Amino acid sequence: MASVINNGIPYVNGKLYDWADIVVTIAGVPVTGITGIEYKDDQDMEVKYGAGRYPVGYTKGRITCDGKITLYQEEVEAIQKQTLNGRIQDIAPFDIIVSYIPDTGIVHVDKLRNCMFKNNPRPWKEGDKGKEVEIDLLMSHIDWGK
């Protein structure tokens, strides 16, 4: 019995996305040492006033994007080995593709365009077992669902 509708196509037994449904590629290479990805775009918007106390319209301005990716340190080190100087911030802009591939077979793809790594931290502390590295992303735009 279908319980949730996505663009007119029912999910089987209410199945929604989970982490195992997500495949992330960086510059065309699937990443397995990933534990998180976050991305968004924001648009400047404001209401415009005319006669009276209430807005008569609105305007839209710039769209800005940002995000972050969380990788195991070993994954970051593998990326670093592809650079000339070990600085992942010096890698030329690349695309990150986030594909949602659920059991239903309906694939959804978001494309983070012209990405660059903004930092390369190593926040270790006593008791850590393995290290996840959260790296801020710079990007030009996001192609949502393409």
Side-chain angles (χ1 to χ4, degrees):
M1 183 106 220
S3 61
V4 178
I5 303 296
N6 179 22
N7 294 329
I9 302 170
Y11 283 112
V12 178
N13 297 322
K15 172 69 172 83
L16 301 175
Y17 295 131
D18 49 44
W19 181 249
D21 295 335
I22 298 173
V23 175
V24 176
T25 62
I26 295 178
V29 179
V31 180
T32 56
I34 182 171
T35 61
I37 186 154
E38 181 180 327
Y39 52 96
K40 68 175 182 171
D41 65 12
D42 292 307
Q43 185 164 21
D44 291 337
M45 302 170 108
E46 66 179 47
V47 293
K48 294 296 184 177
Y49 292 87
R53 295 186 175 123
Y54 298 102
V56 296
Y58 64 91
T59 60
K60 292 183 175 185
R62 291 182 178 165
I63 296 173
T64 56
C65 303
D66 68 9
K68 56 182 100 176
I69 190 166
T70 306
L71 305 169
Y72 286 117
Q73 181 170 331
E74 292 80 1
E75 190 78 40
V76 177
E77 290 172 359
I79 294 169
Q80 280 180 272
K81 288 178 183 171
Q82 305 305 311
T83 68
L84 296 176
N85 61 6
R87 286 181 41 84
I88 63 174
Q89 299 94 320
D90 292 340
I91 297 172
F94 52 90
D95 290 343
I96 296 177
I97 309 299
V98 183
S99 302
Y100 299 83
I101 308 172
D103 296 340
T104 61
I106 303 165
V107 177
H108 176 91
V109 177
D110 293 332
K111 297 178 182 177
L112 316 183
R113 298 300 195 164
N114 305 305
C115 296
M116 295 179 73
F117 296 119
K118 291 174 67 174
N119 52 23
N120 189 6
R122 295 295 189 280
W124 281 92
K125 63 183 182 298
E126 191 280 325
D128 281 350
K129 295 170 190 69
K131 177 48 55 195
E132 294 179 355
V133 179
E134 184 178 272
I135 302 170
D136 295 320
L137 297 171
L138 177 73
M139 65 191 82
S140 65
H141 64 285
I142 301 171
D143 288 336
W144 295 97
K146 296 206 178 202

